[in-house]
Amino acid sequence: MTGLYSRWAVILGATLLLAILTYQHYQQHLSTLSMKTLLSSPPESQPVRIQGMVKSGTLQGDVEHGQATFEFVDGAATLAVEYQGPPLENIRELKTLVLIGRWDSQARIFRAHDTALINNFGFVAAAYLISVMALGWMVFAMSQRVMVLFKEIKESKLYEPEADSLGHKE
Amino acid sequence: MGTKNKKIAIIVSILLVAGSLGYLAFGNFGENIVYFVTPSEVKAFTAEAYSKKVRVGGMVVKGSLKTQPEPVGLTFELTDGAATIPVAFQGIPPDLFKEGQGAVVEGQWRDGRTFHSTMIMAKHSEDYMPMELKQAGVELPKKDFMKTLSP
Amino acid sequence: MPNMINRIIRQIQRYKGWFGGGAALCIFLGLYIGLLASPPDYYQGELVRIMYVHVPLAHTSTLAYSVLFFGSIWYLWKRDPLVDNMCQASASICALFTALALITGSIWAKPTWNTWWTWDPRLVSFTVLLLILGGYIMLRRLVDDRVQGGRYAAILAIVGGIDLPIIKFSVEWWRTLHQPMSFSTRGVSISEDILVPLTLMSIGCWLLFAYMVMVRTQILYLTDLLHAKKGRFLSQTHFSQTTS
C-alpha cells in the first residue's frame, strides 16, 4: 500500500519540478514587458521584450533589408519604433509580435534589433495541464482500485488468489 | 432499472452509433464533405449563389495584401493556381495569416466581383522546423499546397 | 492453439510494471524536451509544443480502437472472456484519449487556425469516434448479462471500425483545414529537433495505453471474481439458513 503512494509521490514531485522549471524558463526567456511599465519605469540599458501589433498604415522603410519604422500598439498605448535588424517577414501591418530592443527615453523611440513570435504560452500550458492531469488522475484511480480490490478479496476470505498473473499482486 | 427502460437505453445507444455512422456515410457529411470551395468554383457561381454563405480555401497571393487603417481591415487575393479572386475583410486577421500561406475564408461572393469575408482561418502546412533551419533555406518534403485544395 | 491469445495476454500481464515504468520515463523525458529543450517552430512559435501532446494522444486513440476492433473479432470467434474484458478496458481508455485529443486539438486550433471548432472532415470523423465509444460504453453498462452484452458490444465495435480508415485518410481524400499527414510517402516533414520530443511522447503514450489496458483488464477480472465468489457465498448462506 505504501508502495503505491510513494511511487505516486515521486511522480507528483517530478511533475511539479517540471512545472516550476517551465515557469522559470518562461519568466526568463519568454515573458514580455507591458508598454505601460516600459514607459513609467524603463529598465536600464538591458534589452527588453514588448508585445504589440504593428499599426495599420504606419509601416515605412525597407523591411526586406531589415530597416523599418512603424507604430506599435498594445491596447491604448502606442510606441514609435525604429527597427534595425535581420530582414524578417514577421514585420508586417496588423501582425502581433514581440520586439526585442531598448527604450530611448530622450528621443521617445523604441529601438528594436530583433523580433520573436508571440509566446501565447497560456494555450500551451492549458493543453499540457489538461492532458497530464486527466491521464495522471485516471492511472492513479485505477491503481488504487486494484489495491482496494485485492484488499476486499483478502478480507472477505472468499478467495485465495490463484497462481496466475491476473490474480497476482505485482 | 426496469427492463423496459433498459431496452430503451440499449436502443438509444445503438441509435447513437448507427446514427453517427449513418451521418458519416450518407447524411450531411456527404454534402459537406466539400469543406471549402476553390476560387475557380467561386468564379463559376451563378447569381443565386451570390447571397449564400460559403467557405473558400486558397493561397494568399504574394504582394496582394493591402491593409487599411480606418476602419481596420485588409484586402488580398486568393488563388488555387487556376483562378484568383479578390477578398475584403474588416478587422484584424489571425496571427498565422500571411502572404504565400493557405487561408480559408468564410463569407459571400456578394456582387460577383469581390468576396466579402466575415472570418479568416489560417491553414498551416504539415512541416515543422526551428527558425534557424528555415532561415538556412531548408525545405522539408510536404504536400504541394495547391494539391491540398482539390485532392 | 485456441487459447493462444489468452496465454499471450496472461504472459504480458506479468510484465505490466515495465510498461508503466517505461511510459513514465518516456513521457517525462518527452515533456522535458518538449517544454524546455526544443526550439520553437519558425511559423507557429511556441504553439508547436501543443503538437507533442495532441498528436501522440490522437494516434494512441486510433491504436486503442484498433485493439478494440480486432479484440472484438477475436471475441466473437473464440468467446474468450479475457479478450472481452480487454476490449471493454480499451474502449474506456480509448474514449479518454479521444476526448483529450479533441480538447488539445481545439486548444491548438484557436491560436493557429483562429477557431475552436469547424466542420472539417478530420474533426467530424474524430468526433464520430467519440460518439461510437459513448454508445459502446453505454451498451456495456446497461446490459446485465455479460455474455450477451459482450456480443452486442463486439458487433457494435466492429461496425464502428469503418471510422478508422475515414479518420486516417480524411486529410488526403477531402479538402480540409487540418494539415495533411507529416509522415507519408512524400517523406517526413518534421525536422529532427521537433521529431525527438514527438517520438518520445508517442512511444510514452503507447506504453501508457498498454499499461492502462492491462490494469483495467485486471480490475474487470478481479471484480468478476469477487462477484462470482460473493454470489456463491450468499447462496451458500441462504442455503444453510433455509436448511437449518
Side-chain angles (χ1 to χ4, degrees):
Chain A
M1 194 183 291
T2 46
L4 176 80
Y5 291 119
S6 51
R7 204 154 53 218
W8 277 93
V10 172
I11 292 174
L12 197 65
T15 315
L16 281 176
L17 183 71
L18 202 61
I20 292 167
L21 281 176
T22 311
Y23 182 72
Q24 278 180 344
H25 172 80
Y26 169 80
Q27 283 294 326
Q28 281 165 13
H29 302 288
L30 294 169
S31 66
T32 54
L33 211 62
S34 79
M35 282 190 194
K36 261 191 192 150
T37 327
L38 182 75
L39 293 176
S40 56
S41 55
E44 296 301 312
S45 67
Q46 252 168 329
V48 292
R49 299 162 63 91
I50 54 166
Q51 185 171 316
M53 190 181 76
V54 181
K55 198 175 174 184
S56 178
T58 60
L59 182 61
Q60 280 170 349
D62 194 358
V63 183
E64 272 169 37
H65 291 95
Q67 272 199 325
T69 59
F70 52 87
E71 279 175 37
F72 206 49
V73 221
D74 174 25
T78 307
L79 279 186
V81 177
E82 213 176 83
Y83 176 79
Q84 194 153 25
L88 284 174
E89 53 176 357
N90 274 336
I91 298 178
R92 53 177 194 270
E93 289 182 352
L94 295 182
K95 165 80 178 171
T96 306
L97 78 162
V98 173
L99 288 177
I100 303 159
R102 288 184 175 81
W103 172 243
D104 186 340
S105 49
Q106 258 105 54
R108 299 200 70 76
I109 282 176
F110 188 79
R111 294 186 203 282
H113 58 80
D114 206 354
T115 65
L117 293 167
I118 53 165
N119 61 45
N120 35 23
F121 223 82
F123 289 104
V124 180
Y128 275 76
L129 277 178
I130 289 170
S131 314
V132 168
M133 287 199 311
L135 285 172
W137 179 252
M138 179 93 167
V139 177
F140 176 71
M142 286 194 326
S143 316
Q144 214 181 18
R145 180 93 190 106
V146 170
M147 202 180 71
V148 169
L149 277 171
F150 270 115
K151 212 174 138 201
E152 256 179 63
I153 287 171
K154 200 179 165 195
E155 277 174 3
S156 65
K157 294 203 171 95
L158 294 168
Y159 159 71
E160 290 298 317
E162 291 158 16
D164 175 2
S165 60
L166 281 158
H168 255 310
K169 234 171 169 172
E170 295 154 38
Chain B
M1 201 188 290
T3 340
K4 200 181 165 196
N5 279 346
K6 198 171 288 175
K7 262 195 185 139
I8 292 169
I10 291 166
I11 291 168
V12 166
S13 61
I14 290 172
L15 276 182
L16 188 68
V17 175
S20 48
L21 279 175
Y23 171 71
L24 263 190
F26 313 105
N28 260 337
F29 193 64
E31 290 162 33
N32 289 344
I33 221 154
V34 180
Y35 173 66
F36 55 72
V37 294
T38 59
S40 310
E41 287 159 356
V42 170
K43 281 219 152 163
F45 273 5
T46 48
E48 58 260 35
Y50 287 179
S51 57
K52 243 169 76 180
K53 200 175 169 190
V54 288
R55 273 189 291 259
V56 188
M59 190 208 236
V60 184
V61 178
K62 274 193 178 155
S64 71
L65 185 65
K66 285 178 187 68
T67 61
Q68 291 108 37
E70 274 311 318
V72 176
L74 54 138
T75 59
F76 57 94
E77 284 171 359
L78 208 60
T79 183
D80 60 359
T84 303
I85 55 164
V87 181
F89 174 77
Q90 284 202 349
I92 295 163
D95 197 57
L96 263 63
F97 174 84
K98 67 177 178 189
E99 292 178 350
Q101 280 286 343
V104 174
V105 294
E106 249 176 36
Q108 292 163 316
W109 181 238
R110 205 175 289 157
D111 42 16
R113 283 197 307 274
T114 312
F115 191 84
H116 292 267
S117 170
T118 47
M119 171 152 146
I120 298 179
M121 289 181 281
K123 180 171 160 63
H124 63 85
S125 52
E126 75 278 23
D127 62 325
Y128 306 92
M129 60 179 134
M131 200 66 178
E132 294 79 45
L133 282 187
K134 186 68 185 175
Q135 280 172 343
V138 174
E139 280 297 329
L140 295 167
K142 60 177 175 181
K143 196 172 181 180
D144 177 17
F145 180 78
M146 295 309 173
K147 278 188 185 149
T148 68
L149 292 180
S150 40
Chain C
M1 264 325 259
N3 289 324
M4 183 183 64
I5 294 285
N6 190 302
R7 276 212 306 278
I8 291 173
I9 293 173
R10 279 167 194 274
Q11 266 307 316
I12 299 176
Q13 284 275 2
R14 268 176 216 282
Y15 304 105
K16 70 174 184 306
W18 289 96
F19 283 84
L25 207 68
C26 284
I27 289 175
F28 270 110
L29 207 58
L31 283 176
Y32 176 77
I33 299 176
L35 280 170
L36 291 159
S38 65
D41 180 60
Y42 76 97
Y43 184 38
Q44 304 193 11
E46 302 291 329
L47 289 170
V48 75
R49 300 185 198 282
I50 299 177
M51 179 170 75
Y52 308 142
V53 289
H54 171 70
V55 171
L57 285 172
H59 61 67
T60 305
S61 88
T62 55
L63 171 78
Y65 200 91
S66 310
V67 170
L68 173 61
F69 179 74
F70 291 111
S72 297
I73 293 176
W74 185 262
Y75 175 69
L76 281 188
W77 187 18
K78 300 287 183 192
R79 297 296 154 89
D80 183 345
L82 183 61
V83 174
D84 186 39
N85 277 347
M86 194 188 69
C87 288
Q88 195 178 354
S90 329
S92 49
I93 293 158
C94 183
L96 176 73
F97 275 90
T98 310
L100 284 176
L102 281 170
I103 294 169
T104 52
S106 182
I107 294 173
W108 195 14
K110 181 61 189 165
T112 52
W113 296 347
N114 189 31
T115 181
W116 297 103
W117 170 264
T118 180
W119 293 96
D120 175 284
R122 170 60 74 87
L123 274 63
V124 172
S125 56
F126 216 83
T127 310
V128 165
L129 187 72
L130 192 60
L131 291 177
I132 292 169
L133 288 163
Y136 181 95
I137 292 166
M138 253 168 82
L139 191 68
R140 297 227 68 150
R141 286 249 165 114
L142 295 169
V143 183
D144 284 332
D145 187 341
R146 284 294 297 268
V147 179
Q148 203 181 30
R151 204 164 58 227
Y152 291 163
I155 295 168
L156 204 77
I158 293 167
V159 174
I162 307 166
D163 199 26
L164 276 188
I166 297 181
I167 290 175
K168 168 96 175 131
F169 294 107
S170 55
V171 289
E172 302 282 320
W173 288 343
W174 303 302
R175 297 169 181 173
T176 58
L177 182 61
H178 195 284
Q179 56 279 16
M181 294 184 253
S182 290
F183 299 86
S184 64
T185 47
R186 293 181 291 274
V188 179
S189 47
I190 299 175
S191 83
E192 269 173 45
D193 297 311
I194 291 169
L195 206 55
V196 169
L198 185 63
T199 313
L200 274 172
M201 289 293 280
S202 298
I203 296 170
C205 275
W206 294 334
L207 290 174
L208 183 68
F209 162 70
Y211 176 72
M212 286 170 88
V213 166
M214 284 187 253
V215 176
R216 189 117 182 88
T217 309
Q218 191 182 26
I219 289 175
L220 292 168
Y221 176 87
L222 290 175
T223 313
D224 280 355
L225 215 55
L226 197 62
H227 283 177
K229 297 281 170 180
K230 259 191 184 158
R232 193 203 289 169
F233 183 68
L234 284 173
S235 63
Q236 271 174 352
T237 48
H238 180 69
F239 183 71
S240 59
Q241 271 168 1
T242 45
T243 46
S244 58

Coordinates of all heavy atoms in Angstrom, one line a residue, chain B residues 35-72:
Chain B
Y35 N -15.5 20.7 -47.7 CA -15.4 21.7 -46.6 C -15.3 23.1 -47.1 O -15.8 24.0 -46.5 CB -14.2 21.3 -45.7 CG -13.9 22.2 -44.6 CD1 -14.8 22.4 -43.6 CD2 -12.7 22.9 -44.7 CE1 -14.5 23.3 -42.6 CE2 -12.4 23.8 -43.7 CZ -13.3 24.0 -42.6 OH -13.0 24.9 -41.7
F36 N -14.5 23.3 -48.2 CA -14.5 24.6 -48.8 C -14.5 24.5 -50.3 O -14.2 23.5 -50.8 CB -13.3 25.4 -48.3 CG -11.9 24.8 -48.5 CD1 -11.4 24.6 -49.8 CD2 -11.2 24.3 -47.4 CE1 -10.1 24.0 -49.9 CE2 -10.0 23.7 -47.6 CZ -9.4 23.5 -48.8
V37 N -14.9 25.6 -51.0 CA -14.8 25.6 -52.4 C -13.5 26.4 -52.8 O -12.9 27.0 -52.0 CB -16.0 26.3 -53.0 CG1 -17.3 25.4 -52.8 CG2 -16.2 27.7 -52.5
T38 N -13.1 26.2 -54.1 CA -11.9 26.8 -54.5 C -12.2 28.1 -55.3 O -13.4 28.3 -55.8 CB -11.1 25.9 -55.4 OG1 -11.9 25.5 -56.5 CG2 -10.7 24.6 -54.7
P39 N -11.3 29.0 -55.4 CA -11.6 30.3 -56.2 C -12.1 30.0 -57.6 O -13.0 30.7 -58.1 CB -10.2 30.9 -56.3 CG -9.6 30.5 -55.0 CD -10.0 29.1 -54.8
S40 N -11.7 28.9 -58.3 CA -12.2 28.6 -59.6 C -13.7 28.3 -59.5 O -14.5 28.7 -60.4 CB -11.5 27.3 -60.2 OG -10.2 27.4 -60.1
E41 N -14.1 27.6 -58.5 CA -15.5 27.2 -58.3 C -16.3 28.5 -58.0 O -17.5 28.6 -58.4 CB -15.7 26.2 -57.2 CG -15.3 24.8 -57.7 CD -14.9 23.8 -56.6 OE1 -15.0 24.2 -55.4 OE2 -14.6 22.7 -56.9
V42 N -15.7 29.4 -57.2 CA -16.4 30.6 -56.9 C -16.7 31.4 -58.1 O -17.8 32.0 -58.3 CB -15.6 31.5 -55.8 CG1 -16.2 32.9 -55.7 CG2 -15.5 30.8 -54.5
K43 N -15.7 31.5 -59.0 CA -15.8 32.2 -60.2 C -17.0 31.7 -61.1 O -17.6 32.4 -61.9 CB -14.5 32.2 -61.0 CG -13.5 33.2 -60.4 CD -12.7 33.9 -61.5 CE -12.3 35.3 -61.1 NZ -11.2 35.8 -61.9
A44 N -17.2 30.4 -61.0 CA -18.3 29.8 -61.8 C -19.7 29.9 -61.1 O -20.6 29.4 -61.7 CB -18.0 28.3 -62.0
F45 N -19.7 30.6 -59.9 CA -21.0 30.8 -59.3 C -22.0 31.5 -60.2 O -21.7 32.4 -60.9 CB -20.8 31.6 -58.0 CG -20.5 30.8 -56.8 CD1 -20.2 29.4 -56.9 CD2 -20.4 31.4 -55.5 CE1 -19.9 28.7 -55.8 CE2 -20.0 30.7 -54.4 CZ -19.8 29.3 -54.5
T46 N -23.3 31.1 -60.0 CA -24.4 31.8 -60.7 C -25.0 32.8 -59.7 O -24.7 32.8 -58.5 CB -25.5 30.9 -61.2 OG1 -25.8 30.0 -60.2 CG2 -25.0 30.0 -62.4
A47 N -25.8 33.7 -60.2 CA -26.3 34.8 -59.4 C -27.0 34.4 -58.1 O -26.9 35.1 -57.1 CB -27.2 35.7 -60.3
E48 N -27.7 33.2 -58.2 CA -28.4 32.9 -56.9 C -27.5 32.4 -55.8 O -27.9 32.3 -54.7 CB -29.5 31.8 -57.2 CG -29.0 30.5 -57.9 CD -29.2 30.5 -59.4 OE1 -29.2 31.6 -60.0 OE2 -29.5 29.4 -59.9
A49 N -26.3 32.0 -56.2 CA -25.3 31.6 -55.2 C -24.6 32.8 -54.5 O -23.9 32.6 -53.5 CB -24.3 30.7 -55.8
Y50 N -24.9 34.0 -55.0 CA -24.1 35.2 -54.5 C -24.4 35.5 -53.0 O -23.6 35.9 -52.3 CB -24.5 36.4 -55.3 CG -23.9 36.5 -56.7 CD1 -24.1 37.5 -57.6 CD2 -23.0 35.4 -57.1 CE1 -23.5 37.5 -58.8 CE2 -22.5 35.5 -58.4 CZ -22.7 36.5 -59.3 OH -22.2 36.5 -60.5
S51 N -25.7 35.2 -52.6 CA -26.0 35.5 -51.2 C -25.7 34.4 -50.3 O -25.9 34.6 -49.1 CB -27.5 35.9 -51.2 OG -28.3 34.8 -51.6
K52 N -25.3 33.2 -50.8 CA -25.1 32.1 -49.9 C -23.7 32.3 -49.2 O -22.8 32.8 -49.7 CB -25.0 30.8 -50.7 CG -26.1 29.8 -50.4 CD -26.2 28.7 -51.4 CE -25.2 27.7 -51.2 NZ -25.3 26.6 -52.2
K53 N -23.7 31.8 -47.9 CA -22.5 31.9 -47.1 C -21.7 30.7 -47.4 O -22.1 29.6 -47.3 CB -22.9 31.9 -45.6 CG -21.8 32.5 -44.8 CD -22.2 32.6 -43.3 CE -21.0 32.9 -42.4 NZ -21.3 32.8 -41.0
V54 N -20.5 30.9 -47.9 CA -19.6 29.8 -48.3 C -18.2 29.9 -47.7 O -17.8 31.0 -47.2 CB -19.4 29.7 -49.8 CG1 -20.7 29.2 -50.5 CG2 -19.0 31.0 -50.4
R55 N -17.5 28.8 -47.7 CA -16.1 28.9 -47.3 C -15.2 28.7 -48.5 O -15.5 27.8 -49.4 CB -15.8 27.7 -46.3 CG -16.0 28.0 -44.9 CD -15.5 26.9 -44.0 NE -16.3 25.7 -44.2 CZ -17.3 25.3 -43.3 NH1 -17.5 26.0 -42.2 NH2 -17.9 24.2 -43.5
V56 N -14.2 29.5 -48.7 CA -13.3 29.4 -49.8 C -11.9 29.2 -49.3 O -11.4 29.9 -48.4 CB -13.3 30.7 -50.7 CG1 -12.5 30.5 -52.0 CG2 -14.8 31.1 -51.0
G57 N -11.2 28.2 -49.9 CA -9.9 27.9 -49.5 C -8.9 28.2 -50.6 O -9.2 28.0 -51.8
G58 N -7.7 28.8 -50.3 CA -6.8 29.1 -51.3 C -5.5 29.6 -50.7 O -5.3 29.6 -49.5
M59 N -4.6 30.0 -51.6 CA -3.4 30.6 -51.1 C -3.4 32.1 -51.3 O -3.9 32.6 -52.3 CB -2.2 30.0 -51.9 CG -0.9 30.3 -51.4 SD 0.3 30.3 -52.7 CE 1.5 29.2 -52.2
V60 N -2.9 32.8 -50.2 CA -2.9 34.3 -50.3 C -1.8 34.7 -51.3 O -0.6 34.4 -51.1 CB -2.6 34.9 -48.9 CG1 -2.7 36.4 -49.0 CG2 -3.6 34.4 -47.9
V61 N -2.1 35.4 -52.3 CA -1.2 35.7 -53.4 C -0.1 36.7 -52.8 O -0.5 37.7 -52.2 CB -1.9 36.4 -54.6 CG1 -0.9 36.8 -55.6 CG2 -2.9 35.4 -55.2
K62 N 1.1 36.4 -53.1 CA 2.2 37.2 -52.6 C 2.2 38.6 -53.2 O 1.9 38.7 -54.4 CB 3.6 36.6 -52.9 CG 4.0 35.6 -51.8 CD 5.4 35.2 -51.9 CE 5.7 34.3 -50.8 NZ 6.8 33.4 -51.0
G63 N 2.3 39.6 -52.4 CA 2.3 41.0 -52.9 C 0.9 41.6 -53.1 O 0.7 42.7 -53.5
S64 N -0.2 40.8 -52.7 CA -1.5 41.3 -53.0 C -2.1 41.9 -51.7 O -3.2 42.5 -51.8 CB -2.4 40.2 -53.5 OG -2.7 39.3 -52.5
L65 N -1.5 41.7 -50.6 CA -2.1 42.1 -49.3 C -2.0 43.6 -49.0 O -0.9 44.1 -49.1 CB -1.4 41.3 -48.1 CG -2.0 41.5 -46.8 CD1 -3.3 40.9 -46.6 CD2 -1.1 40.8 -45.7
K66 N -3.1 44.2 -48.8 CA -3.1 45.7 -48.5 C -4.0 45.9 -47.3 O -5.0 45.3 -47.2 CB -3.6 46.5 -49.7 CG -2.6 46.5 -50.8 CD -3.2 47.3 -52.0 CE -2.3 47.2 -53.2 NZ -2.2 45.8 -53.7
T67 N -3.5 46.7 -46.4 CA -4.2 47.0 -45.1 C -4.8 48.4 -45.2 O -4.2 49.3 -45.8 CB -3.4 46.8 -43.9 OG1 -2.3 47.8 -43.9 CG2 -2.8 45.4 -43.8
Q68 N -5.9 48.6 -44.5 CA -6.5 49.9 -44.3 C -6.5 50.3 -42.8 O -6.8 49.4 -42.0 CB -7.9 50.0 -44.8 CG -8.0 49.9 -46.3 CD -8.6 48.5 -46.7 OE1 -9.4 48.0 -46.0 NE2 -8.1 47.9 -47.8
P69 N -6.1 51.5 -42.5 CA -6.1 51.9 -41.1 C -7.5 52.2 -40.5 O -7.8 51.8 -39.4 CB -5.3 53.2 -41.1 CG -5.2 53.7 -42.5 CD -5.6 52.5 -43.4
E70 N -8.4 52.9 -41.2 CA -9.7 53.2 -40.7 C -10.8 52.9 -41.6 O -10.9 53.6 -42.7 CB -9.7 54.7 -40.3 CG -9.2 55.1 -39.0 CD -9.7 54.4 -37.8 OE1 -10.9 54.1 -37.7 OE2 -8.9 54.0 -36.9
P71 N -11.8 52.1 -41.3 CA -11.7 51.1 -40.2 C -10.7 50.0 -40.5 O -10.5 49.7 -41.7 CB -13.1 50.5 -40.2 CG -13.6 50.7 -41.6 CD -13.0 51.9 -42.1
V72 N -10.1 49.4 -39.5 CA -9.1 48.4 -39.7 C -9.6 47.3 -40.5 O -10.6 46.7 -40.3 CB -8.6 47.9 -38.3 CG1 -7.6 46.8 -38.5 CG2 -8.0 49.0 -37.5

